[in-house]
């Protein structure tokens, strides 16, 4: 559930504007439509409060899913041609989801001249007639490099990767395999690069799988991310529960034949290998305390079963990979190891025993959290760094919470607290709070321009808070005996739509809209598209998604702000490419006294690389308030956000200005509109 890898931004990379063919621009057009509340390909209406049945994913058998993937692979050349990909580009079908109305969502990886393109993944929606609908791309840049012959040697790239791992606090560091040549396309103009995976251990004993991307022409480090995602039985946390086991002769084992043969192993303080499969001559496991090694095994086995059932019965998903195959669990990792983690390499979850080996990290929500990292890896593949890393962690918190509520266990009731049973802080407090993430002292309640530089376990607070607000709404309330009081960044209320609907929207966005590079703005777009498909774009659910995102400072409320008195300028103002700052003004009248401490500044800027932009609010007396900083790696289009400014020292009436400057070359745009809202 934790990671010690560093997440530094890459340097600014020269970009070129791409003239996209018809399908290349579809996702951008969809984003614009959804952001403005206009109709998209989603049905305009659905039965009030009910899911559009056509947008529900079919429950595919493993063989049906495999057949659809084979069909996609057999047609990949035609698909690449239809998408306007270059002659050296090829597609590889990785996953597929089919809706009840016949729409097929196919997720592809991409290669260039035989090399994998990291950040080149995309999702293609094909309607029943065979016509291509929306296309969601991790990058809009054309994949093209001058040469695939590196200047820098593989040995030099490996040396740099080892140094990066040591700088991040890793110990017993070594390269797991020789650096491989790739095309790096996730953070700007595609370049030839090396990917080196560094193994060994992180500073807290967690296995290390640090991916380091090195420019093959200059030797410069472009990016790094951590591949390890930290996440009758008498259990320690869930009471006495039923377990599905396997009997052979007089021996019982923790092997769940009903759920893809998920097995639970005892590492017995080891840190490598599979360990020993839990087995005994009776079918009662553990005694509810750490004095019996099988207690943690029972907790982990139960958590895995509930997670499997949650995904199957809630979303129709059969296992982590949706192929009917179970992962496996390892408990009693290391000595007093205070963590748990998911590892794609072994396709397994691993749990430490906590401080003093007294509190194994095998609680229900932690089990759901760790397995959900596997689901994310096998769907959107969200990069474990920056804003996409925060979304990765939040997805595990969201679905881990879903598992806990689904289990309906009276000993570990459903709540919006993460890790409340494992006492990882040593004082009985939870690891994270979804209603107000900042209560843990580090997580972020709402979005701001630098949130991607924060550790992913803390930047996840933005999406966790969004999910809580979408589910339960803002303000004070008591749920299952737990008190919550959720604020909003704009000071305006949010009405929840219920956890079940919120889960369906997030899952559909994750599996059919998100890509490896999705950030918070794109997550808003994706969840709105999902809500529109499931409930209709005129539904209360669609509006609630808009409101919940605005309440964590991502995008605007429908109609602008959702309340209060607004002053708006809708005149277009061109923004010079890498030029002087421009301003757009609004005149505030009729107010008494000073501006509020929660002045809402809603900004709608059309731009081809928003990371180039610096945005300020200028008060009538000339005082400036920074809304957005320059960011070389924020490659998404447009700025559509509401910022909250403490302007209580400013006189309200007068001329306020939005000041925007483009600080890098080769991308253009304009101020479409902006608005001040006094709640």
């Amino acid at each position: 559930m934790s990671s010690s890898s560093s997440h530094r931004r890459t340097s600014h990379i020269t970009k070129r504007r791409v003239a996209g063919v018809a399908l290349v621009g579809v996702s951008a057009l969809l984003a614009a439509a959804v952001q403005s509340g206009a109709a998209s390909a989603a049905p305009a209406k659905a039965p009030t409060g009910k899911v559009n049945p056509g947008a529900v994913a079919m429950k595919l058998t493993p063989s049906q899913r495999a057949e659809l993937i084979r069909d996609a692979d057999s047609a990949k050349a035609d698909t690449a041609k239809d998408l306007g990909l270059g002659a050296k580009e090829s597609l590889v079908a990785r996953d597929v989801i089919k809706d009840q109305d016949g729409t097929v969502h196919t997720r592809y990886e991409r290669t260039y001249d035989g090399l994998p393109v990291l950040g080149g993944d995309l999702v293609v929606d094909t309607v029943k007639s065979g016509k291509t609908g929306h296309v969601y791309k991790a990058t809009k840049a054309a994949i093209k490099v001058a040469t695939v012959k590196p200047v820098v040697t593989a040995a030099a790239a490996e040396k740099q990767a080892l140094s990066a791992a040591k700088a991040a606090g890793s110990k017993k560091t070594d390269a797991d395999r020789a650096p491989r040549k790739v095309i790096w396309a996730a953070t700007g103009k595609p370049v030839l690069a090396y990917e080196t995976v560094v193994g060994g251990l992180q500073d807290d004993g967690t296995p290390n799988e640090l991916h380091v991307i090195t420019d093959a022409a200059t030797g410069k480090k472009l990016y790094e991310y951590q591949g390890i995602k930290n996440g009758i039985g008498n259990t320690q946390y869930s009471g006495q529960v039923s377990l599905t086991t396997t009997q052979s002769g007089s021996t019982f084992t923790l092997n769940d034949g009903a759920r893809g043969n998920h097995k639970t192993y005892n590492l017995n303080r080891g840190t490598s290998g599979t360990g020993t499969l839990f087995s005994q001559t009776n079918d009662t496991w553990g005694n509810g305390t750490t004095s019996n090694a099988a207690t943690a095994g029972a907790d982990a086995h139960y958590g895995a079963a509930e997670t499997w059932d949650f995904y199957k019965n809630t979303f129709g998903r059969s296992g982590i990979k949706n192929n009917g195959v179970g992962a496996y669990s390892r408990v009693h990792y290391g000595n007093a190891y205070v963590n748990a983690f998911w590892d794609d390499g072994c396709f397994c979850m691993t749990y430490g025993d906590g401080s003093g080996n007294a509190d194994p990290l095998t609680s229900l929500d932690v089990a759901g959290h760790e397995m959900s990292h596997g689901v994310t890896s096998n769907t959107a593949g969200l990069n474990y760094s920056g804003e996409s890393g925060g979304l990765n962690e939040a997805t595990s918190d969201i679905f881990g919470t879903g598992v806990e509520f689904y289990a309906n266990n009276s000993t570990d009731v459903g709540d919006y607290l993460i890790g409340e049973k494992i006492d990882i802080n040593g004082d009985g407090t939870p690891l994270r709070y979804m209603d107000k993430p900042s209560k843990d002292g580090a997580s972020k309640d709402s979005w701001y321009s630098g949130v991607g530089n924060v550790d992913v376990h803390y930047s996840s607070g933005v999406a966790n808070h969004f999910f809580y607000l979408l589910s339960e709404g803002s303000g004070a309330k008591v749920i299952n005996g737990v008190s919550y009081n959720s604020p909003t960044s704009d000071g305006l209320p949010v009405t929840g739509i219920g956890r079940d609907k919120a889960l369906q929207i997030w899952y559909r966005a994750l599996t059919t809209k998100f890509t490896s590079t999705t950030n918070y703005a794109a997550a808003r777009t994706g969840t709105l598209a999902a809500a529109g498909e499931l409930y209709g774009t005129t539904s209360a659910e669609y509006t609630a998604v808009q409101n919940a995102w605005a309440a964590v400072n991502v995008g605007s409320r429908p109609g602008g702000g959702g309340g209060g008195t607004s002053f708006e300028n809708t005149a277009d103002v061109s923004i010079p490419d890498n030029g002087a700052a421009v301003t757009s003004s609004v005149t505030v009248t009729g107010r008494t006294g000073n501006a509020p401490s929660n002045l809402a500044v809603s900004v709608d800027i059309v731009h081809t690389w928003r990371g180039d932009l610096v945005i300020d609010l200028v008060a009538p007396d000339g005082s400036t308030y920074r809304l957005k900083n320059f960011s070389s790696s924020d490659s998404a289009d447009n700025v559509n956000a509401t910022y909250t400014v403490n302007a209580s020292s400013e006189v309200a009436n007068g001329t306020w200005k939005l000041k925007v400057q483009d600080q890098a070359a080769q991308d253009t745009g304009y101020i479409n509109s902006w608005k001040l809202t006094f709640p």
Side-chain angles (χ1 to χ4, degrees):
M1 296 181 70
S2 68
S3 170
S4 61
S5 59
S6 60
H7 307 297
R8 291 181 289 274
R9 291 292 190 184
T10 57
S11 61
H12 194 66
I13 300 172
T14 302
K15 310 174 296 294
R16 60 188 289 267
R17 202 169 304 115
V18 180
V21 296
L23 288 175
V24 175
V26 169
S27 59
L29 294 174
L30 173 67
V34 171
Q35 294 277 5
S36 64
S40 69
K45 293 184 179 180
T48 303
K50 295 182 179 180
V51 171
N52 171 26
V56 176
M58 296 176 61
K59 295 182 179 180
L60 301 174
T61 66
S63 60
Q64 288 173 327
R65 175 177 174 274
E67 182 178 357
L68 285 171
I69 291 177
R70 284 195 297 270
D71 289 345
D73 260 332
S74 66
K76 62 186 180 183
D78 289 337
T79 302
K81 183 177 179 180
D82 290 342
L83 294 176
L85 303 187
K88 293 185 177 182
E89 295 179 74
S90 297
L91 297 172
V92 179
R94 193 178 66 139
D95 193 20
V96 65
I97 291 174
K98 186 174 183 179
D99 293 343
Q100 297 286 352
D101 66 4
T103 300
V104 176
H105 312 270
T106 307
R107 188 175 296 276
Y108 293 95
E109 301 288 357
R110 201 176 342 181
T111 64
Y112 176 87
D113 204 6
L115 300 178
V117 180
L118 305 185
D121 52 299
L122 50 92
V123 181
V124 178
D125 293 351
T126 308
V127 298
K128 189 175 182 179
S129 66
K131 182 180 178 181
T132 299
H134 301 310
V135 180
Y136 300 87
K137 290 186 174 184
T139 179
K140 296 175 185 176
I143 307 300
K144 185 178 181 181
V145 297
T147 179
V148 292
K149 294 182 179 180
V151 175
V152 175
T153 65
E158 180 176 322
K159 182 178 179 181
Q160 182 203 71
L162 293 174
S163 296
K166 290 177 181 177
S170 296
K171 55 186 179 180
K172 298 182 180 178
T173 296
D174 53 50
D176 274 0
R177 56 178 179 262
R180 66 168 181 164
K181 285 196 300 182
V182 299
I183 304 299
W184 177 248
T187 53
K189 180 180 178 181
V191 296
L192 180 68
Y194 287 106
E195 179 193 32
T196 308
V197 181
V198 181
L201 299 174
Q202 297 178 47
D203 57 359
D204 65 350
T206 304
N208 194 45
E209 192 183 289
L210 186 68
H211 295 245
V212 180
I213 311 300
T214 305
D215 192 314
T218 66
K220 184 177 183 179
K221 187 182 76 173
L222 299 173
Y223 198 79
E224 67 179 57
Y225 69 93
Q226 183 58 250
I228 300 294
K229 284 83 172 181
N230 296 12
I232 293 187
N234 294 306
T235 70
Q236 183 168 348
Y237 302 116
S238 300
Q240 190 172 82
V241 298
S242 296
L243 300 178
T244 302
T245 60
T246 298
Q247 181 180 8
S248 178
S250 61
T251 301
F252 295 87
T253 58
L254 289 184
N255 180 2
D256 192 338
R259 299 173 178 84
N261 290 315
H262 183 105
K263 299 178 177 65
T264 302
Y265 295 88
N266 182 5
L267 278 172
N268 195 28
R269 306 280 186 261
T271 58
S272 62
T274 303
T276 303
L277 181 65
F278 276 99
S279 63
Q280 56 190 44
T281 57
N282 65 77
D283 208 13
T284 300
W285 304 84
N287 63 3
T289 74
T290 56
S291 66
N292 188 318
T295 297
D299 267 305
H301 204 65
Y302 170 67
E306 290 297 326
T307 302
W308 178 287
D309 291 351
F310 164 75
Y311 276 103
K312 181 178 181 180
N313 296 325
T314 306
F315 308 120
R317 189 176 188 85
S318 181
I320 299 300
K321 291 185 176 180
N322 203 20
N323 63 355
V325 177
Y328 67 88
S329 299
R330 306 184 303 174
V331 299
H332 302 306
Y333 173 90
N335 183 27
Y337 175 66
V338 190
N339 221 324
F341 58 89
W342 168 267
D343 186 347
D344 286 324
C346 66
F347 195 56
C348 70
M349 291 95 57
T350 303
Y351 305 90
D353 285 329
S355 180
N357 296 315
D359 295 293
L361 279 80
T362 50
S363 65
L364 195 53
D365 57 353
V366 174
H369 175 107
E370 300 308 337
M371 292 184 78
S372 294
H373 276 307
V375 172
T376 297
S377 177
N378 285 279
T379 53
L382 291 161
N383 290 336
Y384 204 58
S385 181
E387 290 190 21
S388 61
L391 285 163
N392 190 316
E393 270 297 312
T395 296
S396 283
D397 282 351
I398 288 167
F399 291 140
T401 295
V403 169
E404 193 174 71
F405 275 101
Y406 172 86
N408 196 26
N409 184 292
S410 60
T411 304
D412 185 4
V413 298
D415 54 49
Y416 293 93
L417 310 174
I418 307 301
E420 74 280 359
K421 288 284 189 178
I422 57 179
D423 196 23
I424 201 169
N425 296 323
D427 58 5
T429 59
L431 186 60
R432 287 187 286 278
Y433 304 79
M434 300 183 84
D435 66 317
K436 188 177 182 182
S438 60
K439 286 172 67 176
D440 67 14
S443 292
K444 307 305 175 185
D445 290 337
S446 57
W447 183 90
Y448 62 95
S449 60
V451 77
N453 296 322
V454 177
D455 183 277
V456 296
H457 298 87
Y458 304 138
S459 62
S460 63
V462 180
N464 280 344
H465 194 191
F466 159 80
F467 178 78
Y468 175 87
L469 289 167
L470 183 62
S471 299
E472 305 293 348
S474 57
K477 59 198 64 184
V478 178
I479 304 168
N480 281 352
V482 180
S483 296
Y484 303 96
N485 194 356
S486 192
T488 61
S489 66
D490 57 6
L492 302 173
V494 172
T495 300
I497 60 174
R499 185 179 54 261
D500 291 344
K501 291 179 179 179
L503 284 168
Q504 292 294 339
I505 290 169
W506 193 266
Y507 180 79
R508 185 168 181 85
L510 177 78
T511 54
T512 68
K513 319 299 178 196
F514 292 0
T515 68
S516 61
T517 62
T518 295
N519 57 17
Y520 276 117
R524 177 186 186 273
T525 300
T527 50
L528 279 170
E533 291 167 359
L534 289 170
Y535 301 103
T537 56
T538 61
S539 66
E541 291 80 6
Y542 187 91
T543 299
V545 173
Q546 290 178 302
N547 286 335
W549 277 122
V552 295
N553 201 27
V554 181
S556 303
R557 291 185 182 244
T565 303
S566 295
F567 301 85
E568 185 174 16
N569 188 335
T570 60
D572 292 351
V573 178
S574 295
I575 303 170
D577 183 28
N578 198 21
V582 296
T583 61
S584 175
S585 302
V586 297
T587 300
V588 175
T589 59
R591 305 296 298 179
T592 301
N594 285 3
S597 61
N598 59 341
L599 180 65
V601 188
S602 300
V603 178
D604 181 2
I605 295 176
V606 177
H607 200 271
T608 54
W609 190 289
R610 70 179 183 206
D612 290 354
L613 301 179
V614 173
I615 306 174
D616 293 300
L617 175 69
V618 183
D621 67 356
S623 299
T624 60
Y625 297 84
R626 177 58 49 90
L627 305 180
K628 178 189 174 302
N629 288 312
F630 173 88
S631 174
S632 62
S633 59
D634 188 3
S635 60
D637 293 342
N638 310 328
V639 178
N640 194 300
T642 297
Y643 304 92
T644 302
V645 173
N646 182 354
S648 57
S649 63
E650 305 292 343
V651 174
N653 290 333
T655 299
W656 296 74
K657 297 178 181 179
L658 187 74
K659 179 181 176 182
V660 182
Q661 183 176 22
D662 184 327
Q663 295 189 346
Q666 300 189 32
D667 285 277
T668 59
Y670 59 92
I671 301 173
N672 187 43
S673 67
W674 76 286
K675 180 188 324 186
L676 287 179
T677 300
F678 293 75

